[in-house]
Amino acid sequence: MPVLSCFLFSNGYHVNMGITLSHTSALHAMRVLRSDGRDLGHTDPAPVATPAPWVGKRWSMHEFAPDVWKWQQPTAKCPLEVLVPSSRERLRMKNVRNHSCSRSLPPNAVLWLDNDTSMASPQLIFLQMAEVMDFHALVLLAYELCGCFSRNADNPLSGPVVDNIDAVTSIVELSEFLNAARGIPGVQTARMALEFAADHAVSAPESILGMIYSLPQSLSGYGMGPVTLNQRVRITSMEDDEPSKSRYPDLMFSFAPVGINYDGSEHLNLDRISRAAHSSNPDEDESESAATKAVRDKYVDDLRRNRELLAEGKIVLPAVKEDLEDGDHLDKLTFQILRCAKLCFGADVQTYERTLFDTFAKRGRDELLGSVMPGASAIAAKALLL
């Protein structure tokens, strides 16, 4: 049975019923909850549960019947991962993987879900995943936990992503948790991953851009970090009595006031117009003129955003999803970013240019992009455990 070298609660108290979801099972539950709109930031803490069945007198699959158990089903392919107070209290059942604790956990390491279930907190999940995930996936997980989006629980790489939700933690909170968990396997890897992550990503593509620009060449990145995501820029008004306005460029670099705004397909949503034009039920669906106006309004706002940022001394270049789908296009965008930094602001970008034009480094970046974008091979997806 795997032994998790983590801590128990300092007071030694454990609940006497239910189970505590751990590792990938906790990650799955967290993504389900975030996608459903639950605010984990205000979820009550709980101690590690001493496993006890809630249906029968002994463990059986009756405990995990769909009408009783609402979390991930234990299977041979995806065992249910459970955190237990000690090896003596493990859940003895097929398709369950136990992780025992040996010392005290930092505060708020476990969250209450319902009368039968608790789960590892986002901070503990991140630490646990440091021993399970590919390093690049761990960096992306940090962006996800500290950002305003959640990947799909069942198909994290290519499934639908839920946006516009609250972050469950921050880089500072993760760092503090890791500092309180010294000596636990995975801490060093988790700390290293945090060096290349940032708060406030609002979409999965933003997290990929943030990661690949922050990572050094040795880890298949451009080595252009650190970056900041969605940092407020106040826009100067033309009139004194005009309401103040702010813009939030998706990504800004630290070596010059240049950055990127990621314009996904929704920014020029031609499919929306097409669906409206070909709708068989115009009474229920959006009209073509309304769809066209909505798409045009978004397009105009994006252009004004770029103008307003430029007027504040920040050059923010648009990136499109096709740039992330092709390493050559992303390299061209990066070249243009470096040209702006050098010619407009006098930045020294020679080191970044050497990485950009290094053939071996390019091969690593292309492989990384191919493994983290939707549609990646099953082997890549499994290795990433996103």
Side-chain angles (χ1 to χ4, degrees), residues 307-327:
R307 289 200 320 241
E308 289 165 351
L309 290 170
L310 183 60
E312 298 299 327
K314 299 182 185 299
I315 299 178
V316 182
L317 303 182
V320 293
K321 67 183 183 69
E322 288 81 2
D323 292 324
L324 280 172
E325 294 170 347
D326 186 320

Side-chain angles (χ1 to χ4, degrees), residues 126 129-143 186-197 211 214-216 218-221 368 371-372 383-386:
F126 181 69
M129 290 298 100
E131 290 195 285
V132 177
M133 278 182 165
D134 169 274
F135 182 78
H136 296 106
L138 187 65
V139 176
L140 290 178
L141 179 60
Y143 278 98
V187 167
Q188 295 303 322
T189 301
R191 272 205 196 100
M192 183 178 176
L194 282 186
E195 294 179 15
F196 311 115
M211 177 182 71
S214 298
L215 289 171
S218 60
L219 291 171
S220 301
L368 175 57
S371 70
V372 299
L384 283 168
L385 269 177
L386 283 166

Side-chain angles (χ1 to χ4, degrees), residues 31 132-134 137 154-159 370-386:
R31 284 172 167 158
V132 177
M133 278 182 165
D134 169 274
D154 296 313
N155 187 1
L157 192 60
S158 300
S371 70
V372 299
M373 289 296 292
S377 69
I379 294 176
K382 183 178 180 180
L384 283 168
L385 269 177
L386 283 166

